């Protein structure tokens, strides 16, 4: 196997629109919008995992929900139901690049939530960002009780004293570059991605 083939395979993550074959069937990863799943969505995911897969839902390191053991025959039904719930992107390329993690207890009306929504819109709408690696990740930490700022991602945005600190991943860990106003954080992250 060539080195480039190994890198290509290693960098690929399954999605709803691009499932991956494994030993127990297909794997799909659902990427919740702005890190949140409503109660009716969670119930529907549990039902789909039970009816169409092996019944398990895993939480991945990048805060995706992974369903395993899916059968090829049930894939159309799964995609249609997740589409009805708004849990599927317009295409596989958008799905692959929309890797935004949000602190789990961030309030829906918080700056962190608004930043996550803005970043997801930019990732879905800016064709230039489709060239990012599929494992390229963004993190928004609201500075609250459950911090995820220590997780390794390519760009980290963390609320600190009314500002948003901006960090980039380096071999030595996150390198904090400075801070900006919350309203500018998504634009700063998009400029860094470009």
């Amino acid at each position: 196997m060539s080195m480039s083939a190994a890198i290509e395979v290693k960098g690929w993550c399954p999605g709803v629109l691009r499932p991956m074959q494994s030993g127990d069937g297909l794997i799909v990863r659902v990427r919740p919008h702005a890190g949140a799943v409503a109660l009716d969505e969670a119930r529907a995911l549990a039902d789909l995992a039970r009816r169409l897969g092996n019944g398990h839902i895993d939480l991945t390191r990048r805060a995706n929900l992974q369903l395993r053991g899916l059968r090829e025959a049930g894939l159309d039904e799964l995609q249609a139901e997740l589409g009805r719930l708004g849990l599927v992107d317009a295409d596989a390329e958008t799905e692959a690049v929309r890797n935004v993690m949000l602190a789990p207890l961030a309030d829906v009306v918080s700056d962190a939530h608004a930043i996550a929504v803005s970043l997801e819109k930019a990732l879905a709408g800016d064709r230039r960002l489709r060239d990012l690696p599929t494992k390229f990740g963004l993190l928004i930490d609201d500075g609250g009780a459950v911090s995820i700022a220590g997780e390794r991602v390519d760009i980290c945005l963390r609320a600190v004293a009314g500002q948003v600190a901006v960090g980039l991943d380096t071999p030595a860990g996150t390198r904090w570059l400075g801070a900006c106003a919350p309203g500018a954080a998504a634009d700063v992250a998009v400029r860094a991605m470009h």
Side-chain angles (χ1 to χ4, degrees), residues 37-51 55 57 65 67 78 81-82 84-85 87:
V37 177
L39 189 54
D40 62 327
E41 294 168 343
R43 282 188 189 114
L45 281 169
D47 177 62
L48 290 166
R50 181 188 52 76
R51 284 189 305 108
I57 300 175
L65 300 171
L67 285 68
L78 175 80
E81 184 63 18
L82 293 176
R84 187 187 67 73
L85 293 167
L87 294 173

Side-chain angles (χ1 to χ4, degrees), residues 96-114:
V97 76
R98 196 176 52 77
N99 292 311
V100 178
M101 291 190 329
L102 180 63
L105 298 180
D107 195 311
V108 175
V109 295
S110 70
D111 288 332
H113 187 270

Side-chain angles (χ1 to χ4, degrees), residues 62-127:
R62 297 275 177 142
N64 296 313
L65 300 171
Q66 181 170 274
L67 285 68
R68 296 188 65 105
L70 299 161
R71 297 174 304 281
E72 184 79 35
L75 191 56
D76 287 342
E77 180 183 351
L78 175 80
Q79 291 170 340
E81 184 63 18
L82 293 176
R84 187 187 67 73
L85 293 167
L87 294 173
V88 179
D89 289 291
D91 53 62
E93 292 78 24
T94 300
E95 180 181 58
V97 76
R98 196 176 52 77
N99 292 311
V100 178
M101 291 190 329
L102 180 63
L105 298 180
D107 195 311
V108 175
V109 295
S110 70
D111 288 332
H113 187 270
I115 293 166
V117 169
S118 293
L119 285 171
E120 287 187 352
K121 285 181 182 175
L123 289 164
D126 188 336
R127 301 247 4 127

Side-chain angles (χ1 to χ4, degrees), residues 103-169:
L105 298 180
D107 195 311
V108 175
V109 295
S110 70
D111 288 332
H113 187 270
I115 293 166
V117 169
S118 293
L119 285 171
E120 287 187 352
K121 285 181 182 175
L123 289 164
D126 188 336
R127 301 247 4 127
R128 296 174 294 170
L129 299 178
R130 302 286 174 90
D131 292 332
L132 290 169
T134 58
K135 289 197 175 200
F136 189 93
L138 299 129
L139 179 150
I140 302 102
D141 189 282
D142 65 347
V146 179
S147 175
I148 59 171
E151 292 295 320
R152 295 290 299 261
V153 293
D154 298 285
I155 299 175
C156 182
L157 303 172
R158 184 176 189 194
V160 179
Q163 297 276 308
V164 176
V166 179
L168 300 179
D169 189 40

